[in-house]
Amino acid sequence: MKRILFAIAIISLSFSLVNTAQAQNIQLHYDFGRNIYTGAEASRSKVTITLEQFKADKLGSWYYFVDADLSSRFFESAYTEISREFNLGKQSPFAAHVEYDGGLSRNGSFQQAALVGAAWNGHNADFSKTYSVQLMYKQFFKSYDNTRSYASAQLTGVWGLNFCNRKLTFAGFIDFWRGEKANGHGCLVILSEPQLWYNFTKHFSIGTEWEFSNNFVYNSDPNSTQTFFWNPTLAVKFNL
């Protein structure tokens, strides 16, 4: 549920003349993945709460999100990404990007990573269409047993489109990075999460997110070799 609409805000506000601006939202997602893949995703949480916040300043912008996965009995996990962008010149489409990814779960932790690289951001005249491309060095850290520190790289694309008098918003991202399998062999990880929202007001939206991934989701079925998954959600969003 990460960095889609706020990446659009980063793009828009980095080109504006406003010295400081900020935005925040809360999303509630009901995930159908466990219903679709009853064996491979038997442990997948059905409910996720996402908190996002963005703040721009004279140098660039801050952004973070936290995904909290819930079950009927437990707070299962919390995953966060925190990033900072530094604008490379006034009105320049280029920015330096620094990021931290990590989190904790009831059974352990997520493997932590640090990223550094460059972003190329753009938009049309009224900001109804936005895009960003980020190329980053990614360093994974040994975060728990059976993980190790290794170097990687990540390519990220982000897009946003507002239409029908801004009543509809279609936005999303796609990530490509080098991961490692349990046997230590490298693999290409792909993760994309397009979202479609109907904006009833500037504060309330209903929509859906479709997560597409390969070599990303943990497969809990020992008899399955499946690596590609599609996990749709039904969601509501409150802009604060």
Side-chain angles (χ1 to χ4, degrees):
M1 323 299 177
K2 57 182 182 179
R3 73 178 177 275
I4 297 174
L5 298 181
F6 277 77
I8 300 169
I10 290 170
I11 297 166
S12 301
L13 292 174
S14 66
F15 283 91
S16 73
L17 298 178
V18 179
N19 288 333
T20 60
Q22 59 183 347
Q24 188 176 35
N25 75 40
I26 297 175
Q27 300 174 27
L28 177 64
H29 290 259
Y30 184 87
D31 193 302
F32 295 95
R34 194 166 70 173
N35 303 99
I36 298 173
Y37 308 101
T38 55
E41 291 195 313
S43 61
R44 187 177 180 89
S45 295
K46 288 188 175 182
V47 177
T48 298
I49 298 174
T50 298
L51 173 66
E52 294 182 297
Q53 186 170 23
F54 164 84
K55 184 175 182 179
D57 53 39
K58 294 180 180 180
L59 298 178
S61 60
W62 285 97
Y63 166 71
Y64 78 86
F65 80 87
V66 178
D67 276 350
D69 290 331
L70 309 177
S71 70
S72 59
R73 295 182 297 167
F74 299 106
F75 180 87
E76 296 290 340
S77 66
Y79 174 80
T80 186
E81 293 186 4
I82 304 170
S83 65
R84 171 73 195 189
E85 285 202 352
F86 297 94
N87 298 330
L88 300 179
K90 292 184 178 180
Q91 306 300 315
S92 172
F94 296 100
H97 185 102
V98 181
E99 182 177 326
Y100 164 81
D101 302 347
L104 297 172
S105 72
R106 185 166 60 90
N107 298 315
S109 67
F110 296 91
Q111 187 167 13
Q112 300 178 86
L115 299 89
V116 60
W120 175 49
N121 305 317
H123 61 88
N124 65 348
D126 64 357
F127 292 96
S128 62
K129 298 177 182 178
T130 60
Y131 60 86
S132 177
V133 178
Q134 302 159 15
L135 181 61
M136 296 167 286
Y137 169 81
K138 187 172 189 177
Q139 178 66 47
F140 284 95
F141 302 101
K142 179 177 175 59
S143 304
Y144 53 91
D145 291 342
N146 302 319
T147 64
R148 72 179 190 90
S149 175
Y150 68 94
S152 180
Q154 180 168 308
L155 175 65
T156 294
V158 184
W159 71 89
L161 174 64
N162 291 298
F163 54 102
C164 294
N165 294 321
R166 298 186 181 271
K167 281 294 185 181
L168 289 173
T169 299
F170 176 63
F173 73 88
I174 186 167
D175 288 337
F176 303 89
W177 74 87
R178 179 190 177 275
E180 283 196 355
K181 297 181 180 180
N183 59 10
H185 292 173
C187 63
L188 175 64
V189 182
I190 303 174
L191 175 64
S192 183
E193 294 182 0
Q195 293 184 343
L196 180 65
W197 296 99
Y198 181 81
N199 306 309
F200 287 91
T201 70
K202 66 178 182 179
H203 295 295
F204 178 69
S205 305
I206 291 180
T208 182
E209 175 182 274
W210 287 16
E211 179 189 279
F212 299 95
S213 67
N214 192 58
N215 289 320
F216 177 72
V217 171
Y218 172 72
N219 189 334
S220 58
D221 184 353
N223 299 316
S224 172
T225 59
Q226 181 175 357
T227 61
F228 176 83
F229 292 89
W230 164 64
N231 294 302
T233 76
L234 182 64
V236 294
K237 177 167 63 102
F238 300 92
N239 293 306
L240 305 178

